[in-house]
Amino acid sequence: MSIVTANVLSFGYRRQPVFSDLTLCIGPGVTGLLGPNGAGKSSLLALLATRRLPAAGELSVLGDNVLAQASRERARRRIGYLEQRYSLVGSMRVIDTVAYAAWAQGLSRRACFDAAEAALELVELSDKSSRRIRTLSGGQKQRVGIAASMVHHPELLLLDEPTSGLDPEVRISLRRTLNRLGRSISIILSTHLVEDVSALCDEVIVIDEGRIVFQGGVDELSKFSHDEPESNPDRSGGSPLERGYAAVLEDARSHAK
């Protein structure tokens, strides 16, 4: 079963191309989009969330052709999306913030607060539900954002750099939350942190300069490096996954020259 199918997809901003003839298939589970800043990860997530439309090609999300308006609207109700940069109203209570997100997704007024309480419990923020947003830490605000993005029980959750900018302890705690969520729904997350992929993902897609340069299991990427660390000083540091990631980027860029 495919969660996402893209065929010869092209997309860009004005005259600046991001993707050209991109083709991929993503299955269930937790999938990481790994790549350097500016590689095209956020643009791909925006396309999958139907916030942007491709210039050409075919795109199916959860079995819906999102290029057709009726199918796109149906898919949106089944998708949760948290952008890398999002705003919260500091004066609002946590519970009201998440309940409002539920209402915006079409839940009845009566159901909004029940759904919000359930979502806050999943991200371990039930004890902060009556707090004002402005009193929360950065990690807690990130959890509120995740709760708001999944309050309508989506089948697919799209997260753009969910652990970026968090201190190590908060990042580890948030990864535990995402691991728990990934047991019940499919998640696609973008990151430039190899540690996120190692801790969270079943499969990884490496994107560089708008191209898919690797797709496979995390173990496959870890084994990608052609050399033992001792035989190549440039790859002597880091974990096997970090060395495999570096090798993939190195090979892709050498072939692109």
Side-chain angles (χ1 to χ4, degrees), residues 69-121:
Q69 184 174 353
S71 298
R72 183 163 63 249
E73 292 175 356
R74 183 169 58 244
R76 281 178 180 167
R77 293 193 292 270
R78 305 165 67 198
I79 296 170
Y81 177 44
L82 182 64
E83 300 177 78
Q84 184 177 3
R85 294 179 179 85
Y86 61 95
S87 58
L88 298 171
V89 179
S91 60
M92 287 183 67
R93 295 189 309 158
V94 169
I95 187 70
D96 296 331
T97 299
V98 181
Y100 177 80
W103 176 82
Q105 287 287 354
L107 273 68
S108 69
R109 194 167 184 176
R110 178 176 295 179
C112 285
F113 281 91
D114 289 341
E117 288 175 357
L120 288 171
E121 184 176 354

Side-chain angles (χ1 to χ4, degrees), residues 116-173:
E117 288 175 357
L120 288 171
E121 184 176 354
L122 280 173
V123 300
E124 300 179 335
L125 273 183
S126 296
D127 59 333
K128 303 291 190 298
S129 64
S130 61
R131 293 266 298 272
R132 303 289 173 181
I133 294 291
R134 62 172 171 260
T135 69
L136 301 181
S137 67
Q140 290 167 343
K141 289 177 181 177
Q142 192 76 328
R143 289 174 186 271
V144 173
I146 293 172
S149 68
M150 53 165 286
V151 69
H152 58 298
H153 304 295
E155 298 169 47
L156 172 63
L157 185 60
L158 306 172
L159 303 173
D160 195 354
E161 299 280 1
T163 68
S164 179
L166 302 179
D167 63 53
E169 184 178 351
V170 175
R171 191 180 299 138
I172 290 169
S173 177

Side-chain angles (χ1 to χ4, degrees), residues 6 48 52 127 179 191 207 210:
L48 301 185
R52 301 274 185 175
D127 59 333
N179 259 321
T191 184
I207 302 178

Side-chain angles (χ1 to χ4, degrees), residues 166-203:
L166 302 179
D167 63 53
E169 184 178 351
V170 175
R171 191 180 299 138
I172 290 169
S173 177
L174 187 58
R175 285 173 185 155
R176 284 199 299 267
T177 298
L178 295 178
N179 259 321
R180 191 165 57 252
L181 294 177
R183 297 170 193 157
S184 56
I185 61 175
S186 291
I187 298 175
I188 301 174
L189 63 94
S190 78
T191 184
H192 64 278
L193 301 173
V194 173
E195 299 96 328
D196 283 349
V197 170
S198 178
L200 293 168
C201 300
D202 306 306
E203 184 169 83

